Each structure stands twice: as C-alpha cells, then as structure tokens.
Amino acid sequence: VDGPASNSVADAMTELSMVLFTMGRPEQAIPFERDARAIMERALGPESIDVAVSLGNEGEELLESGRPDDALPLLERSAALQERLGRNDSAVLGVIGRALRRKGRLQDALELDQRTLAMVTRNEQPDAYDLSFPNVAVALDLLALGRGKEALPFAERGARLRQVTTASSERGEARFVLARALWEAGNPGRARQQAADALGDYRLTADRYGGRFGKARDEIDVWLAAHKG
C-alpha cells in the first residue's frame, strides 16, 4: 500500500497487532506488526520513530512467543534507533532485559536493568508509575541469580507503585515478584498472601484470554502449592 492511505493502513495493522498482543496472542500479532512496518518504511524511511517503535513491538511479540533469539536483534535495533532519534528508550530496554533473562544471561540482564532504573529515576518523579518496570526487572534478575534478599526492596517498590493501576496483570506480576522475594527473606506468611493476591489479579485476564496470562496464573498456582509456609 502506497500513497495517502498508507499511514491509515499501517495504523490499523499496528492497532490490531496491539490488540492481539494484549489478548495474550503474541504469535498472531507478529505478521500484522511486520506488515505495518514495511508500509512505514516505504512511507517514512527506515529511520523514523514509528519504525523504531514497531521494531520494539515485534521484538516483544517474538519474545512472548518463546523466540528470544529472534527477538533480541530487533529489540537492540529499536533501542539504538530510538536513542539516535532522541526518544526515551527505557521501555524497550526493559524488554531487552527480559530477553536476556530468558536466554539465561542473568548478569547482563541485571546490569542493563540497573542502568535503566538509574536513567528512569533521573527522568521521572519519585512516585512515577514508569519506575515500577525497572524496579520489578531488577528484582527478577536478583531472584534469578539467587539473591532474593537483595531483591526485596526493589520488589517492594515495584509493587507499591503498581497498587494504583487498572492493569490487573501488571499489578499481579509485581505482587508475585514481591511474594518470591518475601519468601527468600524469611517472611512466608506475607509471601503467600501476596501470591494469593497476585492470583486474583490474573484470574480475570487468564480466564478471558488464556495465553501468557494463563501461564502466569498457572505459575502462581504451582508456586503456592510448593510453598506452604
């Protein structure tokens, strides 16, 4: 598609891709995002903010489809392009950290997430919601490295910042990370309560959409069964 209608077509494809991703169907979102970016590149050139964001979107869709090796190059291209264009790239850096964690590159993930946290802290107010993402990410990295007690303050901060969100799955993610950190810090009662609350946060989206939300719910169920306190 070329000409005046091309931007509208690309926008529609991007929106559909985002809807599918939000519904927990990232593998179905990928072709729409890819086709949208092809239109953007013809209309705007290969170095535009829209193209940079689209690269990050597809990278995250690939990652959540279980393809971290395919995701990482796109995410890194997105971050580099956003930085060149002067855009705050903390969101895509967070996804890169997640990809590194999925690939088992835990120390690399921790170092990147720590840098991202420092950058967001400089740019945002102390109670900004965006601070929740690098705090949760650092907590996850430390938990994966077997440093659960060190993870606790980051997990506490992430969960506190997400208390106000209407995105129940994001609140549930932070609560479950906090549950795991509390368990490692020797507070099993509060850990189980946070995990139970996280399960409640995920239940609606898991029942409605399944996919990654269902996997998250099942992971919490398994954790609760294994951590009786």
Side-chain angles (χ1 to χ4, degrees):
V1 179
D2 293 301
S6 61
N7 287 343
S8 296
V9 173
D11 288 347
M13 287 182 168
T14 298
E15 185 173 348
L16 178 55
S17 176
M18 291 174 64
V19 168
L20 289 166
F21 183 80
T22 302
M23 292 173 63
R25 295 154 64 183
E27 66 287 342
Q28 295 178 29
I30 293 168
F32 293 102
E33 189 67 57
R34 195 169 288 165
D35 289 348
R37 189 170 66 257
I39 295 171
M40 294 175 198
E41 288 176 340
R42 288 198 299 271
L44 305 171
E47 298 223 349
S48 73
I49 287 294
D50 288 344
V51 169
V53 172
S54 178
L55 285 164
N57 289 344
E58 185 183 342
E60 187 170 18
E61 290 157 6
L62 286 164
L63 178 61
E64 295 306 322
S65 298
R67 299 165 59 185
D69 290 331
D70 295 327
L72 197 53
L74 291 184
L75 293 167
E76 290 172 338
R77 282 173 58 196
S78 174
L81 182 52
Q82 290 190 49
E83 185 176 10
R84 283 201 302 276
L85 294 172
R87 182 186 175 99
N88 183 343
D89 59 348
S90 61
V92 74
L93 291 175
V95 184
I96 292 173
R98 196 190 319 158
L100 292 171
R101 196 161 52 247
R102 298 266 178 92
K103 285 171 62 66
R105 294 171 54 184
L106 303 179
Q107 189 61 39
D108 289 341
L110 175 60
E111 290 172 4
L112 175 62
D113 289 330
Q114 287 173 328
R115 292 196 302 272
T116 304
L117 176 57
M119 179 179 70
V120 179
T121 300
R122 287 194 302 270
N123 294 333
E124 300 288 350
Q125 295 297 314
D127 59 349
Y129 188 78
D130 283 352
L131 275 166
S132 73
F133 295 98
N135 272 290
V136 168
V138 169
L140 282 167
D141 296 331
L142 290 167
L143 284 165
L145 285 162
R147 296 160 58 183
K149 290 182 180 180
E150 294 176 60
L152 184 57
F154 300 99
E156 291 271 21
R157 199 172 304 125
R160 177 179 58 78
L161 290 167
R162 290 195 187 174
Q163 284 178 351
V164 299
T165 185
T166 58
S168 60
S169 62
E170 290 183 1
R171 186 171 58 248
E173 178 195 31
R175 282 174 164 168
F176 184 44
V177 172
L178 177 56
R180 293 167 57 197
L182 285 164
W183 185 273
E184 295 300 323
N187 193 337
R190 189 167 168 231
R192 284 186 55 82
Q193 183 58 58
Q194 288 292 324
D197 290 344
L199 192 62
D201 287 330
Y202 271 111
R203 185 165 287 119
L204 180 61
T205 51
D207 290 346
R208 181 176 296 173
Y209 301 127
R212 61 195 175 96
F213 303 115
K215 290 178 182 176
R217 176 200 56 200
D218 293 346
E219 182 184 1
I220 299 169
D221 265 332
V222 169
W223 189 92
L224 281 166
H227 296 76
K228 295 293 188 183

